[in-house]
Amino acid sequence: MSSTAITGIATLVTNDPALGRGDSPLGLIRDAAVVIEGDRVVWTGASGDTPATDHRVDAGGRAVLPGFVDSHSHLVFAGDRTEEFNARMSGRPYSAGGIRTTVAATRAADDAELEANLTRYLAEALRQGTTTFETKSGYGLTVADESRALRLAARHTDEVTYLGAHIVAPEFADDPAAYVDLVTGEMLDACAPHARWIDVFCEKGAFDGDQARAVLTAGRARGLHPRIHANQLTHGPGVQLAVEVDAASADHCTHLTDADVDALANSRTVATLLPGAEFSTRAAWPDARRLLDAGATVALSTDCNPGSSFTSSVPFCVALAVRDMGMTPDEAVWSATAGGAAALRRTDVGRITPGAFADLVLLDAPSHVHLAYRPGVPLVTGVWRRGERVV
């Protein structure tokens, strides 16, 4: 296998404290180098100690960090909701019901249109440093449309989530129990072969705690691991349910009690925060500081979707988290890389350590802090995915 050394790195974020100096969880190495062999990282250390390799790339005093791990997105859809966004910015509040607009457009689209949209947004995210992403179904809400969404997504990522329980399908509005039966029966049978995860929107206007438990329990029985949309718009049972079923992630976590925070801090469930949603809906920000101080594991992701968070930019979410959610730049970068990996229960991404996939981001800046320090500036100037430079 060919080997490549990236040298002259001003600041290397490894996310392994044992590799760095000081007490930062980022495991920072100054004046550093990384060696890639095939699709893996095989060495990190001081630039002056770099072993011989087949190729060299000079980082020129720039920062290198792990590729972003976006552990929550909704990228299989058609249409947009510009009018809804415009109305919301003019004073109309966000509610779960707007999803039906995207459901209608997605059902009407053919496979080619859906996959073209998916690849467009993936390319957009890759240019901004996202090398691992999760994406969900949830805009079809029929057996055929949910299964095709997952089939299309599985062509592009291993992190595919069945979200038939996004909202109650419009044709079941008068009989939500029958829709839950569909989601946990025939639809699950068709979708499970294409997915790794199962998700449910546990929220007023979507699914209550008992319905959500039924969905996640059925999915787990078919080999899908739970994750959950929890406590976004109001306080509800989502976070407690997530911990109860050992969900990999409870996502949103905007409205939490002390008991919810304690439950997350004493579990394996990651609190995935999605500041793009609060930005786009003018809702209250999640209190990341409260979660971190309690000892909970926090991830940051985009929630890229056409209704409530139409951004594919993890750097934008990092800046929001630092500015409005009480996170330090180090915490936000860790949460957008290693935190996202934890939310997917992965140890081979989100870090730059020997044995991990060679997913790296080169910034046109000397430090990862510039992601928050210079918000909105396109700082990503190079991306390696599985050892191959793709940007």
Side-chain angles (χ1 to χ4, degrees):
M1 289 184 290
S2 177
S3 59
T4 299
I6 305 173
T7 61
I9 301 169
T11 307
L12 175 65
V13 175
T14 68
N15 283 337
D16 182 350
L19 296 178
R21 296 179 180 176
D23 58 1
S24 171
L26 297 184
L28 300 176
I29 304 175
R30 312 289 183 183
D31 189 19
V34 176
V35 175
I36 300 167
E37 189 172 282
D39 62 359
R40 302 280 175 162
V41 174
V42 296
W43 182 89
T44 63
S47 196
D49 297 332
T50 309
T53 57
D54 299 315
H55 309 283
R56 290 208 171 203
V57 176
D58 183 4
R62 297 177 177 88
V64 170
L65 60 154
F68 299 121
V69 180
D70 192 347
S71 61
H72 184 127
S73 72
H74 305 251
L75 299 181
V76 186
F77 67 88
D80 73 17
R81 283 150 65 182
T82 304
E83 292 184 6
E84 176 189 324
F85 177 79
N86 192 34
R88 188 163 64 242
M89 293 302 102
S90 302
R92 190 175 78 191
Y94 173 69
S95 68
I99 293 167
R100 294 181 182 88
T101 303
T102 303
V103 169
T106 302
R107 288 178 176 182
D110 61 23
D111 287 10
E113 181 181 351
L114 292 178
E115 190 161 20
N117 282 343
L118 172 63
T119 55
R120 170 190 172 191
Y121 298 123
L122 292 180
E124 185 179 273
L126 185 63
R127 291 194 299 270
Q128 299 173 90
T130 297
T131 52
T132 302
F133 73 96
E134 176 270 2
T135 200
K136 310 174 193 295
S137 64
Y139 290 126
L141 309 186
T142 67
V143 173
D145 287 307
E146 286 295 293
S147 60
R148 73 162 174 159
L150 296 171
R151 174 173 47 81
L152 293 172
R155 294 176 183 175
H156 302 277
T157 181
D158 295 330
E159 304 296 347
V160 179
T161 300
Y162 166 46
L163 182 59
H166 202 179
I167 59 168
V168 174
E171 54 270 26
F172 287 86
D174 296 328
D175 194 358
Y179 185 67
V180 172
D181 288 342
L182 179 66
V183 168
T184 58
E186 182 184 357
M187 189 182 288
L188 175 60
D189 291 340
C191 290
H194 306 294
R196 180 184 179 201
W197 306 97
I198 187 165
D199 199 344
V200 58
F201 189 10
C202 185
E203 184 63 65
K204 183 178 180 181
F207 299 89
D208 65 25
D210 290 340
Q211 293 169 326
R213 181 180 290 103
V215 168
L216 298 180
T217 300
R220 190 164 56 181
R222 290 297 306 273
L224 303 182
H225 202 87
R227 40 199 331 107
I228 186 168
H229 285 60
N231 301 51
Q232 178 188 4
L233 306 177
T234 58
H235 180 262
V239 164
Q240 295 292 335
L241 177 59
V243 172
E244 173 190 324
V245 300
D246 187 34
S249 182
D251 296 29
H252 288 289
C253 293
T254 308
H255 300 276
L256 303 180
T257 64
D258 289 345
D260 294 331
V261 174
D262 288 345
L264 288 166
N266 291 287
S267 74
R268 295 200 303 162
T269 300
V270 174
T272 298
L273 308 184
L274 308 165
E278 279 69 41
F279 178 87
S280 297
T281 61
R282 288 181 175 161
W285 298 101
D287 189 347
R289 184 79 269 136
R290 182 184 180 199
L291 287 160
L292 290 165
D293 287 349
T297 301
V298 172
L300 279 178
S301 293
T302 64
D303 191 18
C304 186
N305 76 83
S308 60
S309 183
F310 205 3
T311 179
S312 59
S313 176
V314 173
F316 174 65
C317 293
V318 166
L320 291 179
V322 172
R323 169 63 179 81
D324 291 304
M325 289 164 44
M327 301 184 86
T328 68
D330 282 15
E331 289 168 340
V333 167
W334 189 94
S335 294
T337 52
L344 296 174
R345 297 207 166 153
R346 299 275 297 269
T347 58
D348 56 353
V349 295
R351 61 198 70 238
I352 301 176
T353 58
F357 279 117
D359 295 349
L360 294 82
V361 173
L362 177 67
L363 298 182
D364 191 14
S367 168
H368 61 282
V369 177
H370 282 238
L371 290 168
Y373 181 42
R374 303 195 68 208
V377 176
L379 294 176
V380 174
T381 191
V383 179
W384 284 258
R385 188 175 188 276
R386 303 298 192 265
E388 178 184 356
R389 188 164 187 172
V390 290
V391 174

